[in-house]
Amino acid sequence: MSKATRTDTQSPAPHGADSHDLIRVLGARENNLKDVSIEIPKRRLTVFTGVSGSGKSSLVFNTIAAESQRLINETYSSFVQGFMPTLARPEVDVLEGLTTAIIVDQQRMGSDPRSTVGTATDANAMLRILFSRLGKPHIGPPSAYAFNVPSVKASGAITVERGAKKTVKATFNRTGGMCGRCEGRGTVSDIDLTQLYDDSKSLNDGAITIPGYGSDGWNMRLYKESGFVDPDKPIRKYTKKELHDFLHHEPTRMKIAGINMTYEGLIPRIQKSMLSKDKEAMQAHIRAFVDRAVTFTTCPECDGTRLSEGARSSKIKRISIADACAMQISDLAEWIRGLDEPSVAPLLSALQQTLDSFVEIGLGYLALDRTSGTLSGGEAQRVKMIRHLGSSLTDVTYVFDEPTAGLHPHDIQRMNDLLLRLRDKGNTVLVVEHKPETIAIADHVVDLGPGAGTGGGSVCFEGTVEELRAGDTVTGRHFDDRASVKETLREPTGTLEIRGASANNLRDVDVDVPLGVLVVVTGVAGSGKSSLVHGSIPAGEGVVSIDQTPIRGSRRSNPATYTGLLDPIRKAFAKANDVKPALFSANSEGACPTCNGAGVIYTDLAMMAGVATTCEDCEGKRFDASVLEYRLGGRDISEVLAMSVEEAEEFFGTEDAHTPAAQRILTRLADVGLGYLTLGQPLTTLSGGERQRLKLATHMADKGGVYVLDEPTTGLHLADVEQLLGLLDRIVDSGKSVIVVEHHQAVMAHADWIIDLGPGAGHDGGRLVFEGTPADLVAARSTLTGEHLSAYVGS
């Protein structure tokens, strides 16, 4: 056979497979998107920008990433899909060129006390293997060093059939590292009995002070009619047996008032009904009770390390696994570097790489035993990134939600380098971002807007950063905005003295915080800002603390229910129509019976993705048809809930619908820049920045004299920061004190007084490195913050 030879000398035609270098989106209509059609280049870094609420997350997360995840889920077997959440297809006509999406968002990590920075990454697993190989004395396999694994001993006859032989006696042992006293939590809880009952009273006199244990309720009847205790006898006069039956009796079935019920002691009963639940999801009065009644103290047996005595006794070079996990990660990386053991060389290099990634990403100040629920949104996002930095996957779409959140300007450069590294490995990187420093490194920019809410949802600009600068969009116009240092400063009305602050990494910090002015606390991530502010100025009498914890709310919750705005609206409707207020609640008597007031009907299609369809009976209005006949100022309740904050503010000011109580709340919502939100929009569709400002609006009515804010610019567009500064000024001018933990240079420049912590993070921080006016900080340039601020204001 003769070999086939090529006769043409021209370059070969491009391969068909190489032509798929765009993600094409046609007709996206999720949330407020208005038929958006764009093309995004693959294997490039694309930044999505636009004012808060313009539709960035709707396009990137709810459309592109959501469809990618749904399609991947459909590749699994029907059996596996049965265990997975059902995802509905996004509202979009065409999506082409998608690749596997990895979402690295700012969702807080789980609040389980056994979840730590080490368990959330692979670092803890690798350390356990290392100690099981090199630890002296040897105490067992890797599980012996795991605080999530209890030790188990079992013995008995195990039947094994082997021909005529039938039984083999066996014992079963598993060595775990869990501390038996605190079960791997590091803390033990104690219940303060004085918060459960007043022992000078009898049950009939209302001795139990727990919410839900009123004198005529079933909970109270259970104890009064059980026969175990005398309901007319004061609790302090109970015998030992009566007190045990009242507080600790094991569950017993009995008939009370002709109904079969289970009687058990008060303590196990409230542990099951209240203490085992997520505190954040509780109603406010129950959460307040739990805070009063339960005290958490460090476990005396393991000293908070979560590990058994055996696990703590095994050491490598005088360091136990508990010591290693308590070390600052940057120090642990150095310690691992000093271990030279050829038998575990690959393990050491993998562990070294993971720990170096922490340092590189700006998290070297954390320790592996830090509970993951205590990380801020930005820290949680960066911990999730660690997994992907060493990944061998390429041609993946990475989706980031404001990766610079919580980062000092000094650290933003590091984050930019990491994003570019992911891109250079051949990945598509999509970033939702507001910071000009990160927008500047984009290969492609998509600007959404022009406004927020119903005023947004369109693509205003696509192109390069240079074209954006020259373009006439809100982002383009504000891209090179630079705040100048404030000329006139307010005079403090007093001082708040903080002495010897030593929470977390603080080194006995003494500082006088001026009151009656705008104080900004700055410093690199991990320098001790939150420890100083939240640890020394706790929320309470006269202090309103608004942090980044997410709002817990179902899809039934909306701005109207969360802010309490719905109460005056319901009362106004009820008064105008002479009916009950409960009729005007979609969660109560006025709900559409078909969809139970949800507005949509959720259909579970078993093995396929479930779908949400608008309820045909109420057409998504959520109310029973009879309720919609009642009007106020010519509008029914569903029309009022469909209004934006700005429209509603005008409406409740008219003569027919005049409701001052509703107007006050609406004015506060408009003040924090949420004028575009509709009153009935589900809380689950709000962005992180919108939720924090919703909290701020709600707390502005509080009687506090000191407002403590934790990075209020998170999720805010450059144009919205000006509005926020105006709001902070108004709060201060009304006679309040505002203390802000912030990295945004525009906020620093606008401050009356700056407190700068550092000089580094973790044990390299925790000191006061500067206090004074922004102008002095710029002039001195003595700290990292000073250098970046002086570069920002161009001095």
Side-chain angles (χ1 to χ4, degrees), residues 521-547:
V521 181
T522 66
V524 295
S527 59
K529 303 180 299 298
S530 297
S531 303
L532 178 70
V533 172
H534 296 303
S536 307
I537 315 169
E541 205 55 47
V543 177
V544 178
S545 186
I546 302 162
D547 58 14

PDB file of all heavy atoms in Angstrom, residues 521-547:
ATOM      1  N   VAL A 521     -13.076  52.963  60.705  1.00  0.00           N
ATOM      2  CA  VAL A 521     -12.039  52.052  61.205  1.00  0.00           C
ATOM      3  C   VAL A 521     -11.511  51.265  60.009  1.00  0.00           C
ATOM      4  O   VAL A 521     -12.292  50.620  59.304  1.00  0.00           O
ATOM      5  CB  VAL A 521     -12.618  51.085  62.268  1.00  0.00           C
ATOM      6  CG1 VAL A 521     -11.536  50.166  62.812  1.00  0.00           C
ATOM      7  CG2 VAL A 521     -13.258  51.870  63.408  1.00  0.00           C
ATOM      8  N   THR A 522     -10.202  51.363  59.739  1.00  0.00           N
ATOM      9  CA  THR A 522      -9.637  50.702  58.561  1.00  0.00           C
ATOM     10  C   THR A 522      -8.482  49.780  58.957  1.00  0.00           C
ATOM     11  O   THR A 522      -8.107  49.712  60.119  1.00  0.00           O
ATOM     12  CB  THR A 522      -9.102  51.739  57.542  1.00  0.00           C
ATOM     13  OG1 THR A 522      -7.985  52.411  58.137  1.00  0.00           O
ATOM     14  CG2 THR A 522     -10.139  52.752  57.162  1.00  0.00           C
ATOM     15  N   GLY A 523      -7.908  49.134  57.958  1.00  0.00           N
ATOM     16  CA  GLY A 523      -6.803  48.197  58.171  1.00  0.00           C
ATOM     17  C   GLY A 523      -6.959  47.023  57.240  1.00  0.00           C
ATOM     18  O   GLY A 523      -8.064  46.754  56.758  1.00  0.00           O
ATOM     19  N   VAL A 524      -5.866  46.306  56.966  1.00  0.00           N
ATOM     20  CA  VAL A 524      -5.938  45.165  56.046  1.00  0.00           C
ATOM     21  C   VAL A 524      -6.871  44.105  56.619  1.00  0.00           C
ATOM     22  O   VAL A 524      -7.166  44.107  57.811  1.00  0.00           O
ATOM     23  CB  VAL A 524      -4.539  44.556  55.781  1.00  0.00           C
ATOM     24  CG1 VAL A 524      -3.642  45.523  55.059  1.00  0.00           C
ATOM     25  CG2 VAL A 524      -3.886  44.099  57.081  1.00  0.00           C
ATOM     26  N   ALA A 525      -7.348  43.187  55.754  1.00  0.00           N
ATOM     27  CA  ALA A 525      -8.232  42.110  56.211  1.00  0.00           C
ATOM     28  C   ALA A 525      -7.503  41.301  57.274  1.00  0.00           C
ATOM     29  O   ALA A 525      -6.363  40.896  57.074  1.00  0.00           O
ATOM     30  CB  ALA A 525      -8.600  41.214  55.031  1.00  0.00           C
ATOM     31  N   GLY A 526      -8.162  41.092  58.427  1.00  0.00           N
ATOM     32  CA  GLY A 526      -7.544  40.315  59.504  1.00  0.00           C
ATOM     33  C   GLY A 526      -6.735  41.134  60.485  1.00  0.00           C
ATOM     34  O   GLY A 526      -6.042  40.591  61.339  1.00  0.00           O
ATOM     35  N   SER A 527      -6.819  42.484  60.372  1.00  0.00           N
ATOM     36  CA  SER A 527      -6.004  43.314  61.267  1.00  0.00           C
ATOM     37  C   SER A 527      -6.676  43.539  62.622  1.00  0.00           C
ATOM     38  O   SER A 527      -6.060  44.061  63.541  1.00  0.00           O
ATOM     39  CB  SER A 527      -5.702  44.667  60.611  1.00  0.00           C
ATOM     40  OG  SER A 527      -6.911  45.346  60.305  1.00  0.00           O
ATOM     41  N   GLY A 528      -7.963  43.167  62.745  1.00  0.00           N
ATOM     42  CA  GLY A 528      -8.643  43.283  64.039  1.00  0.00           C
ATOM     43  C   GLY A 528      -9.736  44.340  64.080  1.00  0.00           C
ATOM     44  O   GLY A 528     -10.184  44.727  65.153  1.00  0.00           O
ATOM     45  N   LYS A 529     -10.194  44.820  62.904  1.00  0.00           N
ATOM     46  CA  LYS A 529     -11.204  45.893  62.876  1.00  0.00           C
ATOM     47  C   LYS A 529     -12.519  45.440  63.512  1.00  0.00           C
ATOM     48  O   LYS A 529     -13.030  46.084  64.423  1.00  0.00           O
ATOM     49  CB  LYS A 529     -11.476  46.334  61.419  1.00  0.00           C
ATOM     50  CG  LYS A 529     -10.262  46.807  60.677  1.00  0.00           C
ATOM     51  CD  LYS A 529     -10.597  47.224  59.254  1.00  0.00           C
ATOM     52  CE  LYS A 529     -11.163  46.119  58.426  1.00  0.00           C
ATOM     53  NZ  LYS A 529     -10.263  44.973  58.218  1.00  0.00           N
ATOM     54  N   SER A 530     -13.051  44.307  63.015  1.00  0.00           N
ATOM     55  CA  SER A 530     -14.337  43.830  63.544  1.00  0.00           C
ATOM     56  C   SER A 530     -14.208  43.445  65.013  1.00  0.00           C
ATOM     57  O   SER A 530     -15.124  43.667  65.801  1.00  0.00           O
ATOM     58  CB  SER A 530     -14.843  42.635  62.732  1.00  0.00           C
ATOM     59  OG  SER A 530     -15.090  43.040  61.410  1.00  0.00           O
ATOM     60  N   SER A 531     -13.043  42.868  65.384  1.00  0.00           N
ATOM     61  CA  SER A 531     -12.843  42.482  66.794  1.00  0.00           C
ATOM     62  C   SER A 531     -12.909  43.716  67.688  1.00  0.00           C
ATOM     63  O   SER A 531     -13.488  43.691  68.764  1.00  0.00           O
ATOM     64  CB  SER A 531     -11.473  41.815  66.975  1.00  0.00           C
ATOM     65  OG  SER A 531     -11.358  40.701  66.122  1.00  0.00           O
ATOM     66  N   LEU A 532     -12.336  44.819  67.214  1.00  0.00           N
ATOM     67  CA  LEU A 532     -12.329  46.046  68.019  1.00  0.00           C
ATOM     68  C   LEU A 532     -13.736  46.636  68.111  1.00  0.00           C
ATOM     69  O   LEU A 532     -14.225  46.943  69.197  1.00  0.00           O
ATOM     70  CB  LEU A 532     -11.377  47.084  67.403  1.00  0.00           C
ATOM     71  CG  LEU A 532     -11.317  48.429  68.130  1.00  0.00           C
ATOM     72  CD1 LEU A 532     -10.623  48.276  69.477  1.00  0.00           C
ATOM     73  CD2 LEU A 532     -10.609  49.491  67.301  1.00  0.00           C
ATOM     74  N   VAL A 533     -14.382  46.742  66.952  1.00  0.00           N
ATOM     75  CA  VAL A 533     -15.676  47.434  66.928  1.00  0.00           C
ATOM     76  C   VAL A 533     -16.769  46.595  67.587  1.00  0.00           C
ATOM     77  O   VAL A 533     -17.466  47.051  68.489  1.00  0.00           O
ATOM     78  CB  VAL A 533     -16.045  47.805  65.471  1.00  0.00           C
ATOM     79  CG1 VAL A 533     -17.458  48.337  65.391  1.00  0.00           C
ATOM     80  CG2 VAL A 533     -15.067  48.837  64.929  1.00  0.00           C
ATOM     81  N   HIS A 534     -16.928  45.331  67.144  1.00  0.00           N
ATOM     82  CA  HIS A 534     -18.019  44.508  67.682  1.00  0.00           C
ATOM     83  C   HIS A 534     -17.705  43.980  69.074  1.00  0.00           C
ATOM     84  O   HIS A 534     -18.602  43.745  69.873  1.00  0.00           O
ATOM     85  CB  HIS A 534     -18.348  43.364  66.723  1.00  0.00           C
ATOM     86  CG  HIS A 534     -18.872  43.825  65.399  1.00  0.00           C
ATOM     87  ND1 HIS A 534     -19.993  44.614  65.286  1.00  0.00           N
ATOM     88  CD2 HIS A 534     -18.415  43.650  64.138  1.00  0.00           C
ATOM     89  CE1 HIS A 534     -20.207  44.899  64.010  1.00  0.00           C
ATOM     90  NE2 HIS A 534     -19.254  44.324  63.288  1.00  0.00           N
ATOM     91  N   GLY A 535     -16.393  43.793  69.364  1.00  0.00           N
ATOM     92  CA  GLY A 535     -16.026  43.277  70.686  1.00  0.00           C
ATOM     93  C   GLY A 535     -16.087  44.336  71.769  1.00  0.00           C
ATOM     94  O   GLY A 535     -16.414  44.050  72.909  1.00  0.00           O
ATOM     95  N   SER A 536     -15.779  45.593  71.422  1.00  0.00           N
ATOM     96  CA  SER A 536     -15.714  46.646  72.444  1.00  0.00           C
ATOM     97  C   SER A 536     -16.951  47.538  72.455  1.00  0.00           C
ATOM     98  O   SER A 536     -17.177  48.278  73.390  1.00  0.00           O
ATOM     99  CB  SER A 536     -14.479  47.522  72.206  1.00  0.00           C
ATOM    100  OG  SER A 536     -13.327  46.730  72.129  1.00  0.00           O
ATOM    101  N   ILE A 537     -17.715  47.509  71.344  1.00  0.00           N
ATOM    102  CA  ILE A 537     -18.943  48.323  71.302  1.00  0.00           C
ATOM    103  C   ILE A 537     -20.094  47.383  70.975  1.00  0.00           C
ATOM    104  O   ILE A 537     -20.619  47.379  69.855  1.00  0.00           O
ATOM    105  CB  ILE A 537     -18.842  49.435  70.219  1.00  0.00           C
ATOM    106  CG1 ILE A 537     -17.471  50.123  70.287  1.00  0.00           C
ATOM    107  CG2 ILE A 537     -19.954  50.457  70.361  1.00  0.00           C
ATOM    108  CD1 ILE A 537     -17.174  51.031  69.106  1.00  0.00           C
ATOM    109  N   PRO A 538     -20.457  46.493  71.912  1.00  0.00           N
ATOM    110  CA  PRO A 538     -21.489  45.501  71.596  1.00  0.00           C
ATOM    111  C   PRO A 538     -22.848  46.143  71.375  1.00  0.00           C
ATOM    112  O   PRO A 538     -23.160  47.179  71.965  1.00  0.00           O
ATOM    113  CB  PRO A 538     -21.495  44.592  72.831  1.00  0.00           C
ATOM    114  CG  PRO A 538     -20.955  45.451  73.930  1.00  0.00           C
ATOM    115  CD  PRO A 538     -20.021  46.438  73.301  1.00  0.00           C
ATOM    116  N   ALA A 539     -23.657  45.521  70.490  1.00  0.00           N
ATOM    117  CA  ALA A 539     -25.009  46.035  70.251  1.00  0.00           C
ATOM    118  C   ALA A 539     -25.787  45.933  71.549  1.00  0.00           C
ATOM    119  O   ALA A 539     -25.685  44.960  72.269  1.00  0.00           O
ATOM    120  CB  ALA A 539     -25.679  45.206  69.167  1.00  0.00           C
ATOM    121  N   GLY A 540     -26.550  46.931  71.840  1.00  0.00           N
ATOM    122  CA  GLY A 540     -27.302  46.914  73.093  1.00  0.00           C
ATOM    123  C   GLY A 540     -27.833  48.283  73.365  1.00  0.00           C
ATOM    124  O   GLY A 540     -28.276  48.985  72.463  1.00  0.00           O
ATOM    125  N   GLU A 541     -27.784  48.698  74.617  1.00  0.00           N
ATOM    126  CA  GLU A 541     -28.346  49.986  75.022  1.00  0.00           C
ATOM    127  C   GLU A 541     -27.679  51.128  74.266  1.00  0.00           C
ATOM    128  O   GLU A 541     -26.495  51.384  74.404  1.00  0.00           O
ATOM    129  CB  GLU A 541     -28.127  50.164  76.540  1.00  0.00           C
ATOM    130  CG  GLU A 541     -29.136  51.101  77.182  1.00  0.00           C
ATOM    131  CD  GLU A 541     -30.582  50.684  76.932  1.00  0.00           C
ATOM    132  OE1 GLU A 541     -30.918  49.501  77.101  1.00  0.00           O
ATOM    133  OE2 GLU A 541     -31.365  51.550  76.541  1.00  0.00           O
ATOM    134  N   GLY A 542     -28.464  51.785  73.410  1.00  0.00           N
ATOM    135  CA  GLY A 542     -27.947  52.968  72.723  1.00  0.00           C
ATOM    136  C   GLY A 542     -27.051  52.674  71.544  1.00  0.00           C
ATOM    137  O   GLY A 542     -26.576  53.584  70.871  1.00  0.00           O
ATOM    138  N   VAL A 543     -26.780  51.372  71.242  1.00  0.00           N
ATOM    139  CA  VAL A 543     -25.911  51.032  70.105  1.00  0.00           C
ATOM    140  C   VAL A 543     -26.700  50.201  69.094  1.00  0.00           C
ATOM    141  O   VAL A 543     -27.279  49.172  69.442  1.00  0.00           O
ATOM    142  CB  VAL A 543     -24.665  50.230  70.559  1.00  0.00           C
ATOM    143  CG1 VAL A 543     -23.815  49.835  69.355  1.00  0.00           C
ATOM    144  CG2 VAL A 543     -23.829  51.052  71.526  1.00  0.00           C
ATOM    145  N   VAL A 544     -26.748  50.672  67.844  1.00  0.00           N
ATOM    146  CA  VAL A 544     -27.407  49.921  66.769  1.00  0.00           C
ATOM    147  C   VAL A 544     -26.302  49.331  65.898  1.00  0.00           C
ATOM    148  O   VAL A 544     -25.542  50.062  65.273  1.00  0.00           O
ATOM    149  CB  VAL A 544     -28.309  50.847  65.925  1.00  0.00           C
ATOM    150  CG1 VAL A 544     -28.940  50.063  64.789  1.00  0.00           C
ATOM    151  CG2 VAL A 544     -29.375  51.481  66.795  1.00  0.00           C
ATOM    152  N   SER A 545     -26.169  48.002  65.910  1.00  0.00           N
ATOM    153  CA  SER A 545     -25.089  47.349  65.157  1.00  0.00           C
ATOM    154  C   SER A 545     -25.674  46.652  63.939  1.00  0.00           C
ATOM    155  O   SER A 545     -26.559  45.807  64.070  1.00  0.00           O
ATOM    156  CB  SER A 545     -24.397  46.327  66.068  1.00  0.00           C
ATOM    157  OG  SER A 545     -23.288  45.787  65.416  1.00  0.00           O
ATOM    158  N   ILE A 546     -25.189  47.038  62.752  1.00  0.00           N
ATOM    159  CA  ILE A 546     -25.710  46.454  61.509  1.00  0.00           C
ATOM    160  C   ILE A 546     -24.556  45.759  60.807  1.00  0.00           C
ATOM    161  O   ILE A 546     -23.668  46.399  60.269  1.00  0.00           O
ATOM    162  CB  ILE A 546     -26.335  47.539  60.602  1.00  0.00           C
ATOM    163  CG1 ILE A 546     -27.450  48.251  61.380  1.00  0.00           C
ATOM    164  CG2 ILE A 546     -26.881  46.926  59.332  1.00  0.00           C
ATOM    165  CD1 ILE A 546     -27.846  49.567  60.817  1.00  0.00           C
ATOM    166  N   ASP A 547     -24.569  44.415  60.888  1.00  0.00           N
ATOM    167  CA  ASP A 547     -23.439  43.670  60.317  1.00  0.00           C
ATOM    168  C   ASP A 547     -23.844  42.998  59.014  1.00  0.00           C
ATOM    169  O   ASP A 547     -24.892  43.274  58.455  1.00  0.00           O
ATOM    170  CB  ASP A 547     -22.916  42.646  61.329  1.00  0.00           C
ATOM    171  CG  ASP A 547     -23.999  41.671  61.759  1.00  0.00           C
ATOM    172  OD1 ASP A 547     -25.047  41.626  61.079  1.00  0.00           O
ATOM    173  OD2 ASP A 547     -23.810  40.951  62.749  1.00  0.00           O
TER     174      ASP A 547
END
